[in-house]
């Protein structure tokens, strides 16, 4: 009995947890559903709570240094305290709302290199926290985001990379403490002045903000500079706009203001 209590205190022979997603594919503002199964271990367990959390890898600047970290930015309590008998099974269905500002993990139907989103299951047992499962989920673009991304592709921009950066964009309302940048190589039409284009979506239920950052191509004796352009896209009228023409105008206006073209 003493040995069993010692093993229990060390977390040995405790409960295990498994999360099953009905469908890992979703969109900003959507939801992920599934079921959490907790299986009792070799002794009775005092479960304190069961939680779900979204995690994304973000870049963090600290002084002159930069590092990456897994950031938890949305959490859902799915169960409170209960007793779990040894060997027993306890199942909990769930529905997890995806934030409108969630970063995209897919684009043009393909994984977006540089960004991942995981749904973590956290089991808190008396005296310990088991991080449990981390299930990847696929966040696909909203129809309005798809239209903007397709327009950049039609203009000849080629995807380079994507990452998430901790911080806030000046003048843009954000609920999350970070934002995603989707980077593109420019076509020859813009390559004379632009080294790369970074696109950020900040989405809301009826509309989204689109922020463009133009990284100026610097020469051997000139320092590169950045230019910004920002505009609002209304979901209800997104298909009524010639976005190829509109984006071309935004890019050239931003470039002319900074002397890129």
């Amino acid at each position: 009995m003493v040995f069993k209590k010692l093993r229990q205190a060390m977390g040995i022979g405790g409960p295990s947890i498994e999360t099953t997603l009905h469908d890992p594919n979703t969109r900003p503002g959507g939801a992920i559903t599934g079921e959490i199964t907790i299986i009792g271990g070799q002794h009775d367990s005092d479960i304190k709570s069961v939680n779900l959390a979204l995690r994304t890898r973000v870049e963090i600047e600290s002084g002159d240094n930069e590092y990456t970290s897994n950031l938890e930015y949305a959490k859902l309590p799915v169960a409170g305290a209960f007793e779990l008998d040894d060997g027993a099974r306890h199942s909990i269905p769930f529905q997890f709302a995806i934030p409108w500002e969630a970063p995209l993990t897919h684009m043009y139907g393909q994984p977006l290199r540089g960004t991942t989103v995981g749904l973590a299951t956290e089991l808190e047992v008396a005296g310990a926290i088991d991080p449990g499962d981390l299930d990847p989920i696929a966040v696909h673009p909203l129809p309005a985001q798809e239209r903007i991304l397709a327009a950049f592709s039609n203009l000849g921009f080629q995807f380079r990379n994507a990452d998430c950066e901790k911080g806030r964009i000046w003048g843009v309302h954000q609920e999350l403490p970070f934002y995603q940048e989707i980077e593109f190589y420019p076509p020859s039409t813009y390559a004379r002045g632009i080294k790369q284009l970074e696109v950020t979506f900040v989405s809301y239920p009826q509309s989204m903000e689109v922020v463009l950052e133009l990284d100026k191509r610097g020469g051997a004796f000139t320092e590169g500079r950045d230019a910004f352009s920002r505009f609002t896209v209304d979901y209800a009228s997104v298909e009524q706009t010639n976005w190829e023409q509109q984006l071309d105008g935004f890019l050239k206006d931003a470039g002319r203001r900074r002397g890129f073209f």
Side-chain angles (χ1 to χ4, degrees):
M1 179 61 72
V2 174
F3 181 63
K4 182 176 181 180
K5 287 184 177 180
L6 179 60
R7 285 168 56 87
Q8 182 174 349
M10 295 174 62
I12 300 173
S16 60
I17 189 166
E18 180 179 322
T19 302
T20 303
L21 305 180
H22 295 150
D23 185 349
N25 298 284
T26 187
R27 283 176 168 171
I32 289 289
T33 62
E35 187 172 74
I36 298 170
T37 301
I38 307 171
I39 304 171
Q42 299 172 12
H43 48 75
D44 297 348
S45 298
D46 182 12
I47 307 298
K48 295 298 184 182
S49 66
V50 183
N51 302 292
L52 289 170
L54 281 180
R55 294 178 186 168
T56 293
R57 197 155 188 82
V58 301
E59 293 185 0
I60 301 172
E61 290 187 6
S62 178
D64 295 331
N65 299 318
E66 185 176 283
Y67 62 95
T68 60
S69 176
N70 285 320
L71 181 66
E72 183 176 292
Y73 57 94
K75 196 162 188 173
L76 175 69
V78 293
F82 65 93
E83 291 289 332
L84 183 68
D85 294 338
D86 60 298
R89 296 176 68 93
H90 184 77
S91 295
I92 310 168
F94 68 84
Q95 177 172 304
F96 195 109
I98 304 301
W100 284 96
E101 297 174 30
L104 305 180
T105 65
H106 285 66
M107 184 177 71
Y108 308 138
Q110 300 296 322
L112 194 59
R113 185 174 64 253
T115 303
T116 58
V117 175
L119 185 64
T121 309
E122 301 170 352
L123 173 66
E124 183 180 0
V125 186
I129 295 180
D130 181 354
D133 287 347
L134 181 63
D135 296 284
I137 64 173
V139 183
H140 298 269
L142 294 164
Q145 293 170 329
E146 284 185 335
R147 180 65 188 93
I148 299 298
L149 292 170
F152 279 119
S153 179
N154 293 337
L155 287 171
F157 285 87
Q158 295 183 346
F159 172 70
R160 177 179 180 270
N161 193 31
D163 59 29
C164 295
E165 297 190 10
K166 188 175 182 180
R168 298 189 177 274
I169 303 170
W170 185 86
V172 176
H173 174 73
Q174 290 174 242
E175 296 290 339
L176 299 184
F178 69 95
Y179 56 90
Q180 182 182 38
E181 289 185 334
I182 303 174
E183 302 174 3
F184 294 90
Y185 290 119
S188 57
T189 314
Y190 307 93
R192 181 172 59 87
I194 302 175
K195 180 181 179 181
Q196 69 180 26
L197 170 70
E198 296 175 347
V199 180
T200 295
F201 297 115
V202 182
S203 302
Y204 315 115
Q206 279 79 41
S207 64
M208 67 180 179
E209 294 294 309
V210 183
V211 181
L212 309 180
E213 181 177 348
L214 286 64
D215 182 12
K216 182 184 183 298
R217 183 180 297 278
F221 303 102
T222 60
E223 182 180 354
R225 304 190 308 277
D226 296 336
F228 294 86
S229 182
R230 194 184 90 204
F231 56 93
T232 302
V233 177
D234 180 29
Y235 300 151
S237 59
V238 67
E239 294 299 334
Q240 300 170 18
T241 301
N242 182 333
W243 284 107
E244 287 77 9
Q245 184 180 59
Q246 198 86 313
L247 292 174
D248 178 68
F250 287 142
L251 292 173
K252 288 181 177 176
D253 284 346
R256 279 192 290 267
R257 287 197 304 270
R258 294 296 181 94
F260 287 13
F261 299 107

